[in-house]
Amino acid sequence: MAPLGSTLGLEPAGPGAQSGKLTADGKWALNLRAARQYHARERHLRPGRKHVERLDVDGQPVDIKLGTFLDNTRRRADKLTPNRRAELDQLGMRW
């Protein structure tokens, strides 16, 4: 009997392949990148709660729920590291 992976037509990941899961730091970096892109275009950091910012990540479009991220970050501001808070302060974050 053939292994399940070959039956399904699955190939082993190539060298340098990453899993689909992002670390907390990876998620922060992606959200911060979306915030910087939005700020550069709009000159403020006050998107609506439902705003979605589209990023190009390795040639693929990725939708970031920027409004939700910023709203949740405001609610958890007391748990942010000083560095993360400073990164958002540089973009004019309303706390």
Side-chain angles (χ1 to χ4, degrees), residues 1-4 6-7:
M1 180 177 259
L4 181 60
S6 64
T7 302

Side-chain angles (χ1 to χ4, degrees), residues 78-91:
D78 58 328
K79 296 179 182 173
L80 285 178
T81 65
N83 185 48
R84 287 185 174 183
R85 191 173 178 106
E87 289 174 325
L88 291 172
D89 282 341
Q90 289 175 348
L91 300 176

Side-chain angles (χ1 to χ4, degrees), residues 15-31:
Q18 298 178 353
S19 71
K21 292 281 187 181
L22 284 175
T23 64
D25 287 339
K27 288 179 186 177
W28 175 265
L30 206 54
N31 283 309

